[in-house]
Amino acid sequence: NVSIIDKKKTELYQELGLQARDLRFQHVVSIATRNNRIIMRMEFLKAVITPEFLLILDYRNSSLEHWLLNELASQLAGEGQLVTYSLPFEFRAIEAILQYWISKLQGRLNSLQPQILETLEALVDPKLFSVDRSKLHILLQNGKSLSELETDVKVFKETILEILDEEEVIEELCLSKWSDPQVFEESMSGIDHAEEMELLLENYYRQAEDLLNEARELRVLIDDSESIIFINLDSHRNVMMRLNLQLTMGTFSVSLFGLIGVAFGMNLESSLEEDPRIFWLVTGIMFLGSGLIWRRLLSFLGRHLDPPLPPHVPAALKKSQPAAGRMEIKTSLKGETLGLSRSTITNQ
């Protein structure tokens, strides 16, 4: 049965036998016990569990109404995915809250993953000469959200791990074992509720670990994509710098042989200007010389920018190396065999 009540916190902690600080919840993740009560804090989800009921506090301030009204009742009844229906009520309540929280974290990852993959696919494109700043802004926001998710999963996992390391805390979480005589007799007769509680917590610890691994893989993908983006930008920058250098060399070549035209264009008298073929001869020499010098400079540039070839290994050396390796192996095996035979004789 699900019921909604409005009550002051002073009246509430008096009825529950708790202190005021126990209900002064903060946005943290913790699981603690006090006075046969379990106090669970899952950031905005704040709950108190007793052997008879589950109390969710301040649910109107968060998006919990759908879960409370449509899913929680069936989970507490042992229906659906939860399989703790044969165990006391606090087991079902703890698993319902842990299941809700891990589903919440998984939903956040499922919403971030396609956005990040789509943004990275648009950014990691070798055909692009520049990077879209709007895509980078989206990737930055998604990266921050992913970092927050990783932090929340780590805190959730460490909280469960702290409980698993303390056997006394696990015993205290089994409320019915200390309040219900029948449950206590069952635990004494062989049904260990503390072991069942440990298995329940280990299950959600493994789920949190898997979720954290998925988030880490996505983080590694983002880092690798950033490296690819920087490599593409560096490659395009190198192409532009090389083109600029080639144009500079061409300008230098034309200017160098342009001195001939400058010399002939001066107001100096000689017998060459009277020949009509001298103009075409000088012009051809200028263009031919400029082209040869530019070609020479380009070949010089190519030799210094292209990566060097690996050193050539002679064929005889390649053939001799495996043979030497086989000889060393045979020698070592022979020595080991002799050593074994000697030790066997000594033992006998």
Side-chain angles (χ1 to χ4, degrees):
N1 298 322
V2 180
S3 59
I4 301 174
I5 58 174
D6 292 330
K7 187 172 293 187
K8 295 181 179 180
K9 288 187 177 181
T10 54
E11 301 176 359
L12 186 61
Y13 68 71
Q14 290 177 359
E15 293 181 4
L16 296 175
L18 301 175
Q19 300 295 329
R21 61 178 177 272
D22 298 327
L23 300 183
R24 194 179 297 120
F25 295 134
Q26 299 176 353
H27 286 273
V28 295
V29 177
S30 64
I31 303 175
T33 58
R34 176 186 286 272
N35 195 16
N36 205 29
R37 304 283 189 268
I38 300 176
I39 305 171
M40 297 188 67
R41 304 176 178 90
M42 297 291 166
E43 293 187 1
F44 58 85
L45 175 58
K46 309 162 188 177
V48 177
I49 302 173
T50 70
E52 296 82 16
F53 61 86
L54 167 64
L55 181 64
I56 306 295
L57 301 178
D58 299 333
Y59 72 94
R60 291 190 181 93
N61 297 330
S62 57
S63 57
L64 293 173
E65 295 190 13
H66 177 75
W67 174 65
L68 288 173
L69 301 177
N70 299 329
E71 300 178 6
L72 182 58
S74 61
Q75 291 176 352
L76 295 178
E79 302 173 359
Q81 298 179 354
L82 304 185
V83 293
T84 54
Y85 54 88
S86 61
L87 294 173
F89 175 80
E90 64 269 14
F91 285 80
R92 299 194 293 272
I94 291 175
E95 185 163 9
I97 294 177
L98 294 179
Q99 178 68 28
Y100 170 79
W101 192 247
I102 202 73
S103 300
K104 198 77 175 178
L105 296 175
Q106 184 68 48
R108 289 169 58 185
L109 180 62
N110 293 337
S111 62
L112 279 175
Q113 188 171 8
Q115 298 178 10
I116 293 176
L117 294 179
E118 182 181 359
T119 306
L120 293 178
E121 185 177 359
L123 289 174
V124 184
D125 189 355
K127 298 180 181 179
L128 297 178
F129 290 92
S130 61
V131 179
D132 190 358
R133 293 187 177 181
S134 61
K135 296 292 184 180
L136 287 177
H137 183 68
I138 295 174
L139 183 62
L140 179 61
Q141 292 180 343
N142 292 334
K144 291 181 179 179
S145 301
L146 184 62
S147 300
E148 294 175 357
L149 176 61
E150 288 179 352
T151 303
D152 294 341
V153 176
K154 287 179 182 178
V155 171
F156 177 75
K157 189 183 73 171
E158 292 173 357
T159 301
I160 297 180
L161 184 60
E162 290 177 359
I163 299 175
L164 292 174
D165 293 337
E166 299 291 338
E167 296 182 359
E168 297 180 356
V169 179
I170 296 177
E171 291 282 350
E172 292 176 357
L173 292 177
C174 303
L175 303 179
S176 300
K177 182 178 180 179
W178 313 108
S179 60
D180 191 346
Q182 182 180 358
V183 175
F184 183 77
E185 292 178 0
E186 291 178 356
S187 62
M188 297 301 294
S189 62
I191 303 176
D192 192 357
H193 289 81
E195 184 178 353
E196 293 292 337
M197 180 64 71
E198 184 177 0
L199 292 175
L200 187 150
L201 295 176
E202 285 181 353
N203 179 30
Y204 287 95
Y205 177 81
R206 287 193 297 270
Q207 293 187 29
E209 183 69 23
D210 295 339
L211 186 61
L212 185 59
N213 291 334
E214 293 180 9
R216 286 173 178 171
E217 290 178 359
L218 198 58
R219 173 64 62 185
V220 171
L221 183 61
I222 292 176
D223 296 338
D224 295 341
S225 300
E226 289 179 352
S227 300
I228 294 175
I229 291 172
F230 292 146
I231 291 173
N232 290 336
L233 292 178
D234 291 339
S235 176
H236 295 312
R237 189 182 300 110
N238 292 336
V239 170
M240 299 302 296
M241 292 176 63
R242 187 164 185 168
L243 178 60
N244 186 21
L245 186 57
Q246 291 175 355
L247 294 177
T248 304
M249 290 180 176
T251 305
F252 170 75
S253 304
V254 174
S255 301
L256 181 62
F257 274 84
L259 295 176
I260 300 176
V262 173
F264 277 92
M266 296 175 64
N267 297 325
L268 298 177
E269 294 181 359
S270 64
S271 61
L272 295 178
E273 67 269 7
E274 297 177 358
D275 192 347
R277 293 173 297 179
I278 292 297
F279 171 76
W280 300 108
L281 179 62
V282 173
T283 304
I285 293 174
M286 288 172 55
F287 280 102
L288 181 61
S290 300
L292 291 176
I293 290 182
W294 189 40
R295 184 66 179 175
R296 185 66 178 173
L297 291 175
L298 289 181
S299 63
F300 176 79
L301 177 65
R303 286 197 305 269
H304 286 75
L305 292 183
D306 293 339
L309 296 176
H312 178 68
V313 180
L317 183 59
K318 291 182 180 178
K319 294 180 180 179
S320 63
Q321 287 179 353
R326 286 196 296 270
M327 292 175 62
E328 291 176 1
I329 292 172
K330 289 181 179 179
T331 305
S332 62
L333 289 177
K334 184 177 180 181
E336 291 176 1
T337 306
L338 292 174
L340 290 174
S341 63
R342 285 196 298 270
S343 62
T344 304
I345 293 172
T346 305
N347 291 333
Q348 289 178 355

